[in-house]
Amino acid sequence: TTQKVTKIDKHQFKGDDDSKPTDDSGTEKTDINKMSSDELRTTDHKTTDQQLTFTKAEAKAQAKQKGEKGVGLGTPESRAGEAAVHYAMRELTSGGKSIDDVSKVLMGLAKDKDKVLNKKWAKAAVNTAKWINEVYGNDIKEVVWDTPEGRKLIGVEGHGTSSDMFIQTKDGKNIG
């Protein structure tokens, strides 16, 4: 049999553009180059939590917005799933929660028919977080999503990968 070769669009990671992201109202956000590490982290986490808890109506409204949204290129469901892993890792590494605690929160969100997070993505997020925690657990310094602020915080702008979130270990290694 012959293998099928898939051509990859060299611009497939265009969502990694760090230029002039806007907030939900379309207003240009603060220049990330002038933000402190704490401001970058807070903004990344706030953006992630917003996508995690988005309603279907909010996701529909966001899809109609013009310009860079700083939230990735996937579907609202996939972004909520990515955000769920991010949330889970933050709670496991610095929130003092157990995987069972995290699972209850995520499955609770997934049961809400108005939310975009569904059970399939919630279960996948819990399994992924469980694995990341087993492998890297106490060695995790930062957890960031693939937002302009998250990328800036750990120095992975223009990473050119399909990574949806990153962890940075205490020795400074970035893992996507």
Side-chain angles (χ1 to χ4, degrees):
T1 64
T2 58
Q3 285 189 317
K4 194 177 200 180
V5 177
T6 303
K7 286 191 174 190
I8 298 174
D9 177 5
K10 67 180 179 177
H11 300 292
Q12 69 177 328
F13 304 116
K14 64 184 175 187
D16 291 343
D17 179 15
D18 292 325
S19 63
K20 300 181 182 176
T22 58
D23 64 18
D24 291 336
S25 68
T27 304
E28 190 176 314
K29 287 185 182 179
T30 304
D31 182 352
I32 64 172
N33 294 315
K34 296 177 182 175
M35 294 172 78
S36 70
S37 292
D38 286 341
E39 290 171 318
L40 290 167
R41 184 180 306 104
T42 298
T43 303
D44 174 74
H45 293 187
K46 181 181 173 185
T47 300
T48 306
D49 289 345
Q50 179 186 48
Q51 295 297 307
L52 173 63
T53 60
F54 249 22
T55 65
K56 292 174 182 173
E58 290 168 326
K60 192 174 183 179
Q62 183 184 50
K64 292 179 181 178
Q65 290 177 354
K66 301 286 186 209
E68 177 70 31
K69 296 171 186 74
V71 295
L73 300 174
T75 65
E77 294 81 9
S78 69
R79 287 193 303 270
E82 294 167 13
V85 177
H86 183 288
Y87 163 81
M89 290 312 306
R90 288 188 352 242
E91 293 299 307
L92 292 172
T93 59
S94 59
K97 301 237 171 105
S98 71
I99 196 70
D100 289 335
D101 295 333
V102 169
S103 181
K104 284 178 189 170
V105 170
L106 295 177
M107 292 309 288
L109 286 171
K111 287 179 185 175
D112 184 340
K113 299 296 180 197
D114 290 331
K115 303 284 186 200
V116 295
L117 182 69
N118 61 40
K119 290 178 186 178
K120 179 181 100 176
W121 280 103
K123 286 179 186 178
V126 169
N127 289 334
T128 302
K130 199 182 295 188
W131 179 84
I132 294 169
N133 196 48
E134 287 172 8
V135 174
Y136 298 101
N138 294 329
D139 194 30
I140 297 174
K141 177 182 173 187
E142 295 284 356
V143 176
V144 301
W145 199 27
D146 189 10
T147 64
E149 296 82 8
R151 292 190 303 270
K152 176 73 175 169
L153 179 62
I154 65 169
V156 293
E157 298 96 335
H159 56 81
T161 75
S162 60
S163 294
D164 297 317
M165 67 160 280
F166 297 88
I167 59 170
Q168 184 178 62
T169 57
K170 291 177 182 171
D171 64 358
K173 291 180 185 165
N174 293 324
I175 300 155

